[in-house]
Amino acid sequence: MLIQSAQAQPLTVDPETIVPLPGKFDVETPTPEVSPEIARFQGAWIGTWHDDRHILVVERVTPDGHANVIFAQSDSAFYGMNREWWRDKATIVDGVLTMTGFRTFRYAFDGPDRLYLTATIASGNVTSGLLVRTDVARLAAGDRPTDWPWPGERVWIPHLTVRTPDGARPIMLEATFYPSTGHGPAPLAIFTHGSDVGRNQLRTWSFSTEAHWLRDNGFAVLALMRRGRGRSEGINGEEDFERNHEGNLIGVSAGVAQAVEDLESAIAYGRRLAGVRPGPVLLAGQSRGGFLAVHYAGLKPSEVMGVVNFSGGWYPYGPVTTPYYANAGRGAADRVPQLWLYADNDKIYPEALIREYYQAFTAAGGRAHFELLHGVPGDGHLLRLQPGRWRPIADEFLASLNRQRP
């Protein structure tokens, strides 16, 4: 018997890098009757949706604005979604390609060969992403980029205090930069994330929806990943809680201090970016990021123009975390305008604890516009995904800020 000596080669593929597609595309060149505004959608597009990998192939467009498309997406452990593709119908009206169904996808041009995507589900949650044009033939042949297109510019922030183990250089923090769309230097807004568990800490958040909102209001935006999160170097020590023998939480100070150092590094870096105006910055964040914005404003109020706090909290245990809000209130007082956005059905921070935080903050001298929204679908902790509920309030808040304050 002849036994071949071929050996299996070790091969590990991250399942979230795979985006399936059909065996062939039926791409047709638009006829001369198709207007340029419609015809420019035709072809292949590759990028992200809710920060996961996504491909759109517009196979056919007609003069009356109908389109045949292929929609494909990768696995997403965070969202519990399977990779899949399907063929669908779409319409092109007023420069927007729209697919409807259990979700509504809208693709609009954000540059000559860039599509900005917003997806809305039945509950009203909105996620977004960006795609760029790619070669149809190469895509059909299985060609994929190593680094997929990203909604903004990836930048690397040198840490002000933490260095690599050999001391050779600072650790680098990952961030996404969205330059202002206006003319002249713009004030800087920094948006940062909440907490995650396990491998989800390795997920990078672009905060594309929030960044576009802030850009619409005249800001340049830096979306920060703190140390040990996303592609940022270092070890995430924010989860290293201190507990007593009974298992009660007794301290979070080490993690909070690390987050402050990371935010300080981002502020220093962001102020040096082209198109950013010197002066106080706007701080915004989700969950732990919202807490951090409030806390930092209490530490250094002269450096902060304002705070937008989405569902902010460090950990849902009042005896340890509520004093931070009192300290923030004493530090910021009435010098830093703040908007606090919460929902009464937050599955992490119950309404009683949210009100306890606000009462501690205001009793110590802090001032904030506090909104506790009712009837938010699903988990109110993800209020940031409901811009239809908070954006009118937040737009008014941003319009009230003194952006010229030295």
Side-chain angles (χ1 to χ4, degrees):
M1 179 182 295
L2 178 63
I3 301 177
Q4 295 189 0
S5 60
Q7 295 181 346
Q9 298 296 313
L11 180 63
T12 301
V13 176
D14 177 358
E16 295 195 5
T17 67
I18 301 170
V19 184
L21 287 169
K24 61 172 291 187
F25 301 152
D26 297 323
V27 177
E28 291 185 0
T29 302
T31 64
E33 293 78 19
V34 179
S35 69
E37 291 74 18
I38 293 175
R40 62 179 180 162
F41 281 97
Q42 191 269 347
W45 303 86
I46 188 168
T48 63
W49 167 42
H50 58 47
D51 298 339
D52 291 306
R53 299 182 181 201
H54 168 38
I55 293 173
L56 177 75
V57 181
V58 182
E59 296 183 299
R60 185 178 301 108
V61 293
T62 63
D64 59 357
H66 288 84
N68 294 353
V69 303
I70 298 169
F71 181 98
Q73 66 186 31
S74 67
D75 278 350
S76 176
F78 187 88
Y79 289 101
M81 296 172 59
N82 296 107
R83 60 179 179 264
E84 57 184 339
W85 68 267
W86 66 84
R87 280 191 162 92
D88 208 339
K89 303 290 186 180
T91 58
I92 302 171
V93 178
D94 295 331
V96 179
L97 184 149
T98 303
M99 298 168 52
T100 57
F102 63 102
R103 301 183 186 93
T104 298
F105 295 92
R106 294 181 177 88
Y107 301 83
F109 278 87
D110 184 31
D113 286 307
R114 291 159 53 99
L115 292 176
Y116 179 61
L117 155 68
T118 56
T120 307
I121 63 175
S123 68
N125 280 5
V126 175
T127 54
S128 59
L130 179 131
L131 299 95
V132 300
R133 192 182 296 277
T134 192
D135 182 80
V136 175
R138 294 180 62 181
L139 188 66
D143 186 49
R144 302 290 187 272
T146 302
D147 281 325
W148 283 51
W150 191 244
E153 177 189 354
R154 289 189 193 268
V155 295
W156 297 97
I157 299 171
H159 205 282
L160 294 177
T161 57
V162 182
R163 303 187 69 82
T164 54
D166 61 3
R169 60 172 177 82
I171 65 167
M172 306 300 285
L173 303 180
E174 179 190 18
T176 304
F177 180 56
Y178 301 85
S180 167
T181 55
H183 299 291
L188 177 67
I190 295 180
F191 201 106
T192 190
H193 54 81
S195 62
D196 274 317
V197 176
R199 291 190 177 92
N200 278 337
Q201 295 179 44
L202 301 180
R203 181 184 181 89
T204 298
W205 294 99
S206 70
F207 291 110
S208 174
T209 303
E210 295 81 0
H212 277 72
W213 159 63
L214 289 165
R215 289 175 78 195
D216 288 348
N217 280 277
F219 289 88
V221 185
L222 194 62
L224 168 69
M225 301 302 299
R226 302 191 296 276
R227 76 183 77 170
R229 297 293 308 274
R231 300 183 185 182
S232 291
E233 295 179 328
I235 296 173
N236 173 18
E238 293 180 10
E239 319 304 328
D240 300 344
F241 298 141
E242 305 161 41
R243 296 185 182 274
N244 61 18
H245 288 293
E246 288 74 37
N248 298 318
L249 186 68
I250 59 173
V252 294
S253 59
V256 172
Q258 288 187 18
V260 168
E261 292 174 349
D262 296 352
L263 184 56
E264 284 180 331
S265 300
I267 292 172
Y269 176 86
R271 283 175 170 159
R272 298 193 299 269
L273 288 169
V276 170
R277 192 172 66 210
V281 302
L282 177 75
L283 299 180
Q286 158 71 15
S287 190
R288 194 169 284 182
F291 169 97
L292 180 58
V294 173
H295 178 65
Y296 192 90
L299 295 177
K300 299 188 177 182
S302 63
E303 296 189 14
V304 183
M305 174 195 306
V307 166
V308 182
N309 163 20
F310 289 91
S311 310
W314 193 265
Y315 191 82
Y317 185 60
V320 170
T321 54
T322 299
Y324 283 90
Y325 290 88
N327 291 336
R330 279 189 290 272
D334 61 354
R335 291 175 288 176
V336 182
Q338 304 200 23
L339 174 62
W340 292 18
L341 296 165
Y342 289 87
D344 63 354
N345 62 333
D346 191 310
K347 293 185 178 180
I348 296 180
Y349 295 97
E351 179 178 344
L353 184 57
I354 294 168
R355 293 189 180 279
E356 179 181 315
Y357 289 160
Y358 180 67
Q359 183 178 4
F361 180 80
T362 55
R367 301 183 74 177
H369 179 174
F370 174 68
E371 290 280 348
L372 186 68
L373 301 180
H374 306 283
V376 175
D379 180 1
H381 193 64
L382 299 178
L383 172 63
R384 72 176 183 87
L385 300 180
Q386 291 272 336
R389 298 296 306 273
W390 56 260
R391 180 157 181 169
I393 303 166
D395 283 345
E396 184 176 349
F397 171 77
L398 293 184
S400 72
L401 295 178
N402 176 11
R403 305 188 187 196
Q404 304 302 324
R405 182 164 66 90

